[in-house]
Amino acid sequence: MSHISEPLIFKHSRTGRSAVGQYPQGATAQVPEKFRRRKRAALPEVSELQAVRHFTRLSQLNFSIDTHFYPLGSCTMKYNPRACNAFAMLPEFLGRHPLAPDSVSQGFLACLYELQEMLKDVTGMKGVSLTPMAGAQGEFAGVAMIRAYHKARNDLERTEIIVPDAAHGTNPATATMCGCTVVEIPSLPNGDIDIDALKGALGPKTAGIMLTNPSTLGVFERRIQEVAKLVHDAGGLLYYDGANLNAILGKVRPGDMGFDVIHMNLHKTFSTPHGGGGPGSGAVGVGQRLLPFLPIPTVGKDGDNYRWLDEKDVPQTIGRLSAFMGNAGVLLRAYVYMRMLGREGMHRVAEFSALNANYLLARLKKAGFDAAYPERRASHEFIITMKRQAKELGVNAMDFAKRLLDYGYHAPTTYFPLLVPECLLIEPTETEAKEELDGFVDALIAIQAEAEQDAAKVKGAPYTLPVRRLDDVRAAKQLDLTYGMRSTE
Amino acid sequence: MSHISEPLIFKHSRTGRSAVGQYPQGATAQVPEKFRRRKRAALPEVSELQAVRHFTRLSQLNFSIDTHFYPLGSCTMKYNPRACNAFAMLPEFLGRHPLAPDSVSQGFLACLYELQEMLKDVTGMKGVSLTPMAGAQGEFAGVAMIRAYHKARNDLERTEIIVPDAAHGTNPATATMCGCTVVEIPSLPNGDIDIDALKGALGPKTAGIMLTNPSTLGVFERRIQEVAKLVHDAGGLLYYDGANLNAILGKVRPGDMGFDVIHMNLHKTFSTPHGGGGPGSGAVGVGQRLLPFLPIPTVGKDGDNYRWLDEKDVPQTIGRLSAFMGNAGVLLRAYVYMRMLGREGMHRVAEFSALNANYLLARLKKAGFDAAYPERRASHEFIITMKRQAKELGVNAMDFAKRLLDYGYHAPTTYFPLLVPECLLIEPTETEAKEELDGFVDALIAIQAEAEQDAAKVKGAPYTLPVRRLDDVRAAKQLDLTYGMRSTE
Amino acid sequence: MPFIPHTETEISEMLAAIGAPSIDALFDEIPAALRIKSLAAIPDALSEMEVGRLMQARASQDGRPLNFLGAGAYEHHIPAAVWAIVTRGEFYSAYTPYQAEASQGTLQLLYEYQSMMSSLTGMEVSNASLYDGASALAEACLMAVRAHRKSKSARIVVPSTLNPTYLSVSRAVVEGQNLSFTVLPYESGKGTLQFSTLEALKGEDLTAVVIQQPNFFGQMEDVDAITDWAHANNALVIAVVNPLSLALFKPPGEWGTKGVDIVVGDGQPFGVPLSSGGPYFGFMTTRMEHVRQMPGRIIGRTVDLDGKQGFTLTLQAREQHIRRSKATSNICTNQGLLVTAATIHMSLLGAAGLESVAATSQRQTSKLIEKLTRIPGVKLAFDGYRFHEAVLQLPVKVREVLDALAERNIVGGLDLSNLYPELGNALLVCATETRTDADLDTYAIALTDIVTGVVERNR
Amino acid sequence: MPFIPHTETEISEMLAAIGAPSIDALFDEIPAALRIKSLAAIPDALSEMEVGRLMQARASQDGRPLNFLGAGAYEHHIPAAVWAIVTRGEFYSAYTPYQAEASQGTLQLLYEYQSMMSSLTGMEVSNASLYDGASALAEACLMAVRAHRKSKSARIVVPSTLNPTYLSVSRAVVEGQNLSFTVLPYESGKGTLQFSTLEALKGEDLTAVVIQQPNFFGQMEDVDAITDWAHANNALVIAVVNPLSLALFKPPGEWGTKGVDIVVGDGQPFGVPLSSGGPYFGFMTTRMEHVRQMPGRIIGRTVDLDGKQGFTLTLQAREQHIRRSKATSNICTNQGLLVTAATIHMSLLGAAGLESVAATSQRQTSKLIEKLTRIPGVKLAFDGYRFHEAVLQLPVKVREVLDALAERNIVGGLDLSNLYPELGNALLVCATETRTDADLDTYAIALTDIVTGVVERNR
Ligand SMILES: Cc1ncc(COP(=O)(O)O)c(C=O)c1O
Ligand SMILES: Cc1ncc(COP(=O)(O)O)c(C=O)c1O
């Protein structure tokens, strides 16, 4: 991590400079006047070295898994095995055109087919489509399938999606995108769903419910079987937000809990890289009822032959969600990851992520921090709240988060879920060693001491990063979204 | 560049930890007692993530071309094109066993053959061997060939190698390794060789002379033709230390100057990476007289067929210098580089490295710094001396060097060549942009001002790196060369 | 244990600290009946070496055929530096820059990306990416409905020369939200929008008109006329473009008198390998006035406590994590790493480089057409100016031809006979700067052989 | 201009600052007659894309044959993480850590490497690498002469079971320095040093005895006896080892009663691909008492002005840049990047992992021998314990067999018939952990075919 800022690439640009070895020389196009671009785009004009140096230096301004403990709750920042990258980037896979004939795609299709089968097994589902390009698109696919299911049964009134208040923002946003109305239900003080509220919300308009289990509160919904029965009895279907699948992988399966559909964040549980914000993959799995509606394409097998299944094979499909078949490269990485873990490794994911989370929670509780759900087991993540510190010392969760950066730890997720005030959602993941967890606890203890002695110090953090605390309000008010937008350079 | 230290890898080690996916499970060897290792080696026991994180963090503690201007004189720290790495690391090249039959090596051999031909052309030589693994080994090959030449002519008394005082340390060290005696001759105040001293040194014992031209003083030896004639007339041969070939590439050829043998630092002039100290490659080129002595193997061509040439083809060879054929991967990178530059690009190397060096020199002179050879053109590098500053301000060349690091510039070569007191040997290379050079000058000007106002500040530098100035004396006195050697952990 | 660092000692210590007797006890809140019994479909673990061998075998099975297929995904040269930097751990293994101070690398890069894309498309602002071109169009349609308050119809006009998959995806994505699509036919022989059918809609409430340039057939639409018509008829204009083509062609921001309203497309041609279909990235740029209706992440420049420049996520109030059910979109994770590749790619190529790549691709496609249409019975479906794709009509079944080409290790193009049955045996082909003249000859020879063979067999 | 950033304007500005009329004028000190006229043998520049295509074609021409050749270069699995990190610009494009404060990454890594190699070989100190195993042996011989002041002979005893190339290289490197080599024969049928020939040297002034373990034939020498004999006879002992084998076998530091004096070898088995022969790296470890005679860079731990731990080049007074003609060696640039790979490799594998790789390689070689010696006429040349190489004797000419195998895409081993004519049609084979049982069968089937074929043809 470097603490030295780097100018914008445009500052390195000089008219006429270029990395000429990177493009063919000599061709000029005869473009009719009406189509012709008049002025070249303001792209940087730099040498190859300048580009390499600029972006290498930029990279050093990031925290990342490869350089820092990164316990960002709900994001499963575990080690991204380098082998996944290496094998997904074999030149044949990279060079393959997505619409190339099946006859020159059997190797690739075999990987995808087996990935579908493995995902079915770990989720307890009957069918899988790999096409959604992130968790949120997987959610979309899931709710769209629920809608399609009711529609196919001519059950047209079912337009309400029940969402607990702890849900990730993508859940209600997805329901809206699918044309549904969101009915929010509260969580109980112990983190479980308020079953009475659920009962109250269920009815003839209920299309389904979206749940994360363990929820984003970091606890497992113990009465999940009862919830499933209630929803099913009311004619609704259950959607499982699999962003937290890491917590239960190899321990319990959403299909067995009674869920009808699940999306998985392959970039979380199956450890494909997060790439500074993506790409992800939001593969969906479905039970029997939703099989006819899976988004296309999926991969089928005829004898020894793999082939794409499309609208001809899945006539009731909710359709296509991407121009081709989703984030193929991410899928290959997930496939490699699953093959390297194998059956036993699959079981260990939840075990060791839970061990790390519960250990961290135990140590933090012992150090005097306030767990949001002190009576509960942590799943793979848990929440502490800085409400007391905010009130008594004027040092809030964000201050703790920023100060952690100075200590060399990425901050946990802050202020999510929204219902827990001043919260930090902490997810260590199974790939971190005990001493990292201990170091993190020590840092929080040290910051607590700082907060008690010199609150201003903590509130002024960070100090050792390339920038100090940034003015978000100004960013939103005095919009500066492109180079040259504001004269104040 | 990070300023945060990283513990030794051994600190991350815990008994029983390991990256199990990296090795086969299950095999155990039946080793007879007398051969059996009793105690495992103290290698670290870490997880894959820990290793990745540790070494990634370590990498960030380096300055490098990819992150910093690195004007290290005599080292030609120019941009190492990424393509060279990518194409030299194609799996077929990486997987090829060095002793694989020629029939499955034609592609590889073709690259090497063409590289030999191109190097012959740019040096003006008649034959090339690519086998030496660094400049110094190239020098060895060169002097060994000179020795072999005299021996073959039964001219057994010729055991003296003349070396100017400005020569790189590898020159005299090489002469000794070859069993020769070193005769040192001084340089004139204008940087040229003292021709009278040369004449005095030449005689019946003269085996040859080792020259760098331009010399490590950064100036071109103008009377090179005269030097060549004198040496040849005395019965000696001329060796060209090609570490500085960048200065003249495409402008003048050592063969045309009268040299009989040259080594080239492919990792400098032909821009293969320096790798934190290597690998390099010290290909040698020879004129007619030394052709019979070239180190083996070299690549020959019979019709359309490439094959290795060995002792059968070159019976008088000085022999083999490496277990196989030298640093093949470096050779492929050099080959790619030369193909990308092409004929015109070759000419530009010297032109723009000279332009950058002379510009930098001009600006520094104007800013009041003392050039060691103010009346001379700079070649691709030049020397400034801090003698005045050392005397007047107590701030020496090393202090300037260390303070430059705080300004984000790698220091030039310090205290080499030995004959110029308090010197900085500065080589910007042709791939740096004008604004980098300007920034570097500004930094030196700023440091000069600091030195005048607050010498202690400069002498205490660096301040912003992971460590402050290191105690080299202690390092050599209280040797601590392995983890665990000293109890003071 | 693969990727898990815990030693036996540590496990015991940690359990002791937790006060749990075993790891299994940590799952005691999960009803016992639900616990997994076995995972039969998951094979045993492979070592990295073994999985490497497996993947190499799979890859080799597919080989590296010579490719003449475009249709939304294009094979271009990618500088070696691009992915060498993209896969650096600091980019590769970071996540969404929620902690701006610890993510300035990603944030500054995205700001640079936004600047480049805005300029390239001739628009004022850009987001930090969407999933891909097709879903970006779907988002653009939804955005148009939000942005165009005056239009009540939520009716989107699209030409049938739009990439058919883009339309399918848009339909699937907007399905729940009562948007409707009106598809207009193309001029036969020209392969561009039949303008009269657009004019026939005059006076109707249209929310937006979509234009793809160059269109799916590789032909150039009269974008100025369409844009002006749409604006004159109170419809917004959504442009779908291949970003590489903008190195040569007028940017959407300059189409017609006032430019379009939203620009989307797939960024794949910029530094992203074909990679069997993804991950690519969708881009979106628009006018400043619509910025608050734009979906996706947006990065802004601001200052820190010391007044120093820095970058941060901004306008988050549009997004799902704040606005929840009222967000502009549900998108969260996007395609950051691909944008990283594209930004480095654009920086290395520059406008001049992209122009040269585009021009060379166009030239190679022209040459290809020339060579292929010399084959008896093979002809161009459409006249007019085109970029780097073209529709050919063959004297024989396209499927058969493509299969035969595949056997010769050539991916010959896209069979249009199902998508556009009216075109007969139609084949969409593409050649980029990566196809040499020798490659074109290889194709021409193979096609000649195959077509002649099939014609004769059919006799 | 490829890789050159100068614009026309800048060139003019810079020339003006210099006060030179043209770039050419900067070369006015070079005699005009010497200036290059043309460079006829250098082809025109290729773009990166073009050179990529060329290199891919060259690589494909050679293909990826199944390899059973060792003889000093071994095919092992290399974790994907290794080269992903090694090729990071900060390691890849830095140079010798002359400015220690700006090179702590490289320096600390080298210190870690020295620690690992010392422990692995059972010695006290290690340098930071030499060029390769062969040249490291040459340096070790020179070092032994320096270190062993009492011996005046500069006579080095080597067994003929030493890798013959290592001996050639040593001869070439020490040629000018009056060292002599005495080569001792091996026990026929056993393939290990004929001890009696060593004993015959009793009482002579020997500077050092070289032992390779496992030896060139893959057989294990009686290293304890040889070491003790050498020490009893006042000779130093230089061990040449495959570092991987040390995961299983007694380290040279423990050979005999007091261990050897210098250990060298090639580090290639640790994270370095076969790469057509290099770059690899030579390693060298020794006792503390000899550290000042050791060639090559050495890194030491020290403290900075604030007392904080840091790393730096040390004992530079041995080196050419200080000691010049009196240096321990002329080596300057070494093989830093390969050491980087090896250090990461050793860290990822650990002692347990290396042990498992070594054991698996040994097992696969045993299996291979078993399969191949079932072929009529094929037999093992030597009895005794071996690591992962073996000498087979064939009923037919080895050259012919290897050529026929190459046609089947198999690199079958090393032909020993010229190097050791007394062994007849001898072939040195090797299988590492990367060769599956199926691979071994492929080889066995091919060899059966070929041998039978040739035998029949010769009938
Ligand atoms: C609980 C939860 N649900 C859904 C998502 C959305 O997934 P994605 O970001 O891949 O769209 C996330 C994370 O981002 C999440 O944490
Ligand atoms: C002038 C000169 N000669 C010779 C050498 C030796 O080359 P190498 O370091 O590759 O052995 C160098 C640089 O290292 C040098 O600068």
Side-chain angles (χ1 to χ4, degrees), chain C residues 326-339:
Chain C
K326 297 193 183 55
T328 48
S329 162
N330 69 344
I331 194 169
C332 176
T333 295
N334 54 38
Q335 310 284 112
L337 203 64
L338 294 313
V339 168

PDB file of all heavy atoms in Angstrom, chain C residues 326-339:
ATOM      1  N   LYS C 326     -36.651   1.806  -4.024  1.00  0.00           N
ATOM      2  CA  LYS C 326     -36.841   2.936  -4.941  1.00  0.00           C
ATOM      3  C   LYS C 326     -35.572   3.275  -5.728  1.00  0.00           C
ATOM      4  O   LYS C 326     -35.477   4.336  -6.348  1.00  0.00           O
ATOM      5  CB  LYS C 326     -37.313   4.161  -4.156  1.00  0.00           C
ATOM      6  CG  LYS C 326     -38.664   3.929  -3.500  1.00  0.00           C
ATOM      7  CD  LYS C 326     -39.289   5.203  -2.989  1.00  0.00           C
ATOM      8  CE  LYS C 326     -40.602   4.863  -2.297  1.00  0.00           C
ATOM      9  NZ  LYS C 326     -40.434   3.830  -1.203  1.00  0.00           N
ATOM     10  N   ALA C 327     -34.624   2.367  -5.714  1.00  0.00           N
ATOM     11  CA  ALA C 327     -33.351   2.629  -6.387  1.00  0.00           C
ATOM     12  C   ALA C 327     -33.523   2.679  -7.905  1.00  0.00           C
ATOM     13  O   ALA C 327     -34.517   2.182  -8.444  1.00  0.00           O
ATOM     14  CB  ALA C 327     -32.346   1.543  -6.014  1.00  0.00           C
ATOM     15  N   THR C 328     -32.536   3.272  -8.578  1.00  0.00           N
ATOM     16  CA  THR C 328     -32.590   3.325 -10.045  1.00  0.00           C
ATOM     17  C   THR C 328     -32.422   1.935 -10.651  1.00  0.00           C
ATOM     18  O   THR C 328     -32.805   1.694 -11.789  1.00  0.00           O
ATOM     19  CB  THR C 328     -31.462   4.222 -10.602  1.00  0.00           C
ATOM     20  OG1 THR C 328     -30.242   3.858  -9.975  1.00  0.00           O
ATOM     21  CG2 THR C 328     -31.753   5.688 -10.342  1.00  0.00           C
ATOM     22  N   SER C 329     -31.805   1.039  -9.926  1.00  0.00           N
ATOM     23  CA  SER C 329     -31.585  -0.324 -10.407  1.00  0.00           C
ATOM     24  C   SER C 329     -31.199  -1.167  -9.210  1.00  0.00           C
ATOM     25  O   SER C 329     -30.878  -0.625  -8.151  1.00  0.00           O
ATOM     26  CB  SER C 329     -30.451  -0.341 -11.438  1.00  0.00           C
ATOM     27  OG  SER C 329     -29.948  -1.652 -11.605  1.00  0.00           O
ATOM     28  N   ASN C 330     -31.225  -2.475  -9.386  1.00  0.00           N
ATOM     29  CA  ASN C 330     -30.758  -3.339  -8.291  1.00  0.00           C
ATOM     30  C   ASN C 330     -29.271  -3.630  -8.402  1.00  0.00           C
ATOM     31  O   ASN C 330     -28.727  -4.376  -7.601  1.00  0.00           O
ATOM     32  CB  ASN C 330     -31.566  -4.643  -8.250  1.00  0.00           C
ATOM     33  CG  ASN C 330     -31.261  -5.545  -9.444  1.00  0.00           C
ATOM     34  OD1 ASN C 330     -30.688  -5.106 -10.439  1.00  0.00           O
ATOM     35  ND2 ASN C 330     -31.658  -6.808  -9.344  1.00  0.00           N
ATOM     36  N   ILE C 331     -28.596  -3.057  -9.391  1.00  0.00           N
ATOM     37  CA  ILE C 331     -27.197  -3.442  -9.604  1.00  0.00           C
ATOM     38  C   ILE C 331     -26.321  -3.076  -8.406  1.00  0.00           C
ATOM     39  O   ILE C 331     -26.505  -2.034  -7.789  1.00  0.00           O
ATOM     40  CB  ILE C 331     -26.627  -2.837 -10.910  1.00  0.00           C
ATOM     41  CG1 ILE C 331     -25.306  -3.530 -11.273  1.00  0.00           C
ATOM     42  CG2 ILE C 331     -26.446  -1.331 -10.772  1.00  0.00           C
ATOM     43  CD1 ILE C 331     -24.815  -3.196 -12.666  1.00  0.00           C
ATOM     44  N   CYS C 332     -25.403  -3.936  -8.099  1.00  0.00           N
ATOM     45  CA  CYS C 332     -24.500  -3.743  -6.957  1.00  0.00           C
ATOM     46  C   CYS C 332     -23.090  -4.068  -7.461  1.00  0.00           C
ATOM     47  O   CYS C 332     -22.389  -3.192  -7.939  1.00  0.00           O
ATOM     48  CB  CYS C 332     -24.954  -4.645  -5.822  1.00  0.00           C
ATOM     49  SG  CYS C 332     -23.911  -4.640  -4.369  1.00  0.00           S
ATOM     50  N   THR C 333     -22.699  -5.327  -7.431  1.00  0.00           N
ATOM     51  CA  THR C 333     -21.443  -5.732  -8.052  1.00  0.00           C
ATOM     52  C   THR C 333     -21.537  -5.467  -9.553  1.00  0.00           C
ATOM     53  O   THR C 333     -22.536  -5.827 -10.184  1.00  0.00           O
ATOM     54  CB  THR C 333     -21.212  -7.236  -7.813  1.00  0.00           C
ATOM     55  OG1 THR C 333     -21.039  -7.441  -6.415  1.00  0.00           O
ATOM     56  CG2 THR C 333     -19.995  -7.737  -8.555  1.00  0.00           C
ATOM     57  N   ASN C 334     -20.514  -4.824 -10.107  1.00  0.00           N
ATOM     58  CA  ASN C 334     -20.550  -4.602 -11.560  1.00  0.00           C
ATOM     59  C   ASN C 334     -19.342  -5.281 -12.195  1.00  0.00           C
ATOM     60  O   ASN C 334     -18.977  -6.372 -11.793  1.00  0.00           O
ATOM     61  CB  ASN C 334     -20.660  -3.113 -11.876  1.00  0.00           C
ATOM     62  CG  ASN C 334     -19.560  -2.326 -11.201  1.00  0.00           C
ATOM     63  OD1 ASN C 334     -18.421  -2.779 -11.109  1.00  0.00           O
ATOM     64  ND2 ASN C 334     -19.889  -1.149 -10.713  1.00  0.00           N
ATOM     65  N   GLN C 335     -18.726  -4.657 -13.153  1.00  0.00           N
ATOM     66  CA  GLN C 335     -17.655  -5.345 -13.893  1.00  0.00           C
ATOM     67  C   GLN C 335     -16.337  -4.579 -13.762  1.00  0.00           C
ATOM     68  O   GLN C 335     -15.636  -4.350 -14.754  1.00  0.00           O
ATOM     69  CB  GLN C 335     -18.058  -5.483 -15.366  1.00  0.00           C
ATOM     70  CG  GLN C 335     -19.443  -6.049 -15.614  1.00  0.00           C
ATOM     71  CD  GLN C 335     -19.562  -7.552 -15.411  1.00  0.00           C
ATOM     72  OE1 GLN C 335     -20.224  -8.008 -14.467  1.00  0.00           O
ATOM     73  NE2 GLN C 335     -18.925  -8.323 -16.255  1.00  0.00           N
ATOM     74  N   GLY C 336     -16.016  -4.219 -12.518  1.00  0.00           N
ATOM     75  CA  GLY C 336     -14.866  -3.348 -12.273  1.00  0.00           C
ATOM     76  C   GLY C 336     -13.565  -3.779 -12.941  1.00  0.00           C
ATOM     77  O   GLY C 336     -12.840  -2.964 -13.509  1.00  0.00           O
ATOM     78  N   LEU C 337     -13.275  -5.051 -12.874  1.00  0.00           N
ATOM     79  CA  LEU C 337     -11.986  -5.518 -13.386  1.00  0.00           C
ATOM     80  C   LEU C 337     -11.894  -5.347 -14.897  1.00  0.00           C
ATOM     81  O   LEU C 337     -10.828  -5.078 -15.451  1.00  0.00           O
ATOM     82  CB  LEU C 337     -11.795  -6.985 -13.012  1.00  0.00           C
ATOM     83  CG  LEU C 337     -10.359  -7.471 -12.977  1.00  0.00           C
ATOM     84  CD1 LEU C 337      -9.568  -6.753 -11.907  1.00  0.00           C
ATOM     85  CD2 LEU C 337     -10.312  -8.965 -12.733  1.00  0.00           C
ATOM     86  N   LEU C 338     -13.025  -5.511 -15.571  1.00  0.00           N
ATOM     87  CA  LEU C 338     -13.030  -5.350 -17.024  1.00  0.00           C
ATOM     88  C   LEU C 338     -12.877  -3.890 -17.395  1.00  0.00           C
ATOM     89  O   LEU C 338     -12.221  -3.548 -18.386  1.00  0.00           O
ATOM     90  CB  LEU C 338     -14.318  -5.925 -17.621  1.00  0.00           C
ATOM     91  CG  LEU C 338     -14.486  -7.441 -17.493  1.00  0.00           C
ATOM     92  CD1 LEU C 338     -13.206  -8.161 -17.906  1.00  0.00           C
ATOM     93  CD2 LEU C 338     -14.906  -7.907 -16.139  1.00  0.00           C
ATOM     94  N   VAL C 339     -13.439  -3.030 -16.567  1.00  0.00           N
ATOM     95  CA  VAL C 339     -13.262  -1.603 -16.785  1.00  0.00           C
ATOM     96  C   VAL C 339     -11.783  -1.244 -16.570  1.00  0.00           C
ATOM     97  O   VAL C 339     -11.229  -0.401 -17.274  1.00  0.00           O
ATOM     98  CB  VAL C 339     -14.177  -0.814 -15.825  1.00  0.00           C
ATOM     99  CG1 VAL C 339     -13.810   0.652 -15.823  1.00  0.00           C
ATOM    100  CG2 VAL C 339     -15.630  -1.011 -16.230  1.00  0.00           C
TER     101      VAL C 339
END
